[in-house]
Amino acid sequence: MMSYQPSERFYRHDGDTLLSVRVQLRAIDADPELLARAVDDYLATLYFDDDAPFEPRLGVARIHYAAGFTIGLVRSPGGAGSESVELVVSSAGEDAIESLHDGIDRLQQALASVPGVDYQFTEILAPERRAGSRHKEPEA
């Protein structure tokens, strides 16, 4: 199992930066339905906030959280070929790196019983939006 190793730029973040890691899970030698069930079972152990702020730049559809990190479901398995699930694990603040590690480690432990899962990690830096701040999306 491949483990996540943060890049140097993530270690240099300031406390106002939202650190996110897109985790793509691919069912290489695994049953895609088993993978989807295992992900759903894991997410059910976390808190779910239907009113959580949606982050369109990350493509997150459902937000779950635990102490120090959030996990957003991006895409569920579907279609032919390589079945995959995409999640975004995010955190901010002084302990963001440790929280990201905790979130990804918990995910990998929960999926350890599903053989043949490939993990791909992509880091995403996004400025943290402070309460009351004004943010305007760039026009296309």
Side-chain angles (χ1 to χ4, degrees):
M1 169 176 27
M2 182 175 162
S3 64
Y4 166 68
Q5 297 299 319
S7 69
E8 185 61 35
R9 77 182 180 142
F10 261 37
Y11 278 111
R12 290 191 314 257
H13 81 284
D14 62 29
D16 291 335
T17 303
L18 177 66
L19 301 180
S20 299
V21 176
R22 184 177 300 271
V23 182
Q24 182 179 24
L25 309 169
R26 291 182 45 220
I28 301 299
D29 295 322
D31 175 359
E33 290 182 22
L34 180 62
L35 174 59
R37 267 195 313 276
V39 169
D40 286 343
D41 289 349
Y42 170 64
L43 292 177
T45 68
L46 303 176
Y47 297 101
F48 174 69
D49 187 356
D50 201 26
D51 295 325
F54 174 72
E55 181 51 73
R57 289 176 294 171
L58 300 178
V60 173
R62 292 181 0 213
I63 303 288
H64 295 79
Y65 63 95
F69 66 90
T70 63
I71 294 186
L73 180 64
V74 178
R75 185 173 65 225
S76 293
S82 73
E83 304 286 347
S84 68
V85 176
E86 289 185 23
L87 302 162
V88 175
V89 182
S90 300
S91 187
E94 273 185 37
D95 299 328
I97 296 286
E98 292 81 9
S99 295
L100 284 174
H101 266 289
D102 184 40
I104 292 169
D105 286 348
R106 287 185 191 192
L107 173 65
Q108 289 183 306
Q109 289 170 9
L111 301 180
S113 65
V114 182
V117 176
D118 178 57
Y119 294 82
Q120 292 184 354
F121 305 103
T122 305
E123 294 179 337
I124 306 164
L125 282 172
E128 178 72 29
R129 292 186 195 162
R130 298 214 176 262
S133 69
R134 293 180 180 219
H135 177 77
K136 183 177 178 183
E137 294 293 329
E139 294 179 12

